[in-house]
Coordinates of all heavy atoms in Angstrom, one line a residue:
G39 N 4.8 1.5 0.2 CA 3.7 1.3 1.2 C 3.9 2.1 2.4 O 2.9 2.7 3.0
D76 N -1.3 -7.3 -16.4 CA -1.2 -8.5 -15.5 C -2.3 -8.5 -14.5 O -2.2 -7.9 -13.4 CB 0.2 -8.4 -14.8 CG 0.6 -9.6 -14.0 OD1 -0.3 -10.6 -13.9 OD2 1.7 -9.7 -13.6
A99 N -8.3 5.6 14.2 CA -9.5 5.5 15.0 C -9.1 5.1 16.5 O -9.7 5.6 17.4 CB -10.5 4.5 14.5

Side-chain angles (χ1 to χ4, degrees):
D76 187 355

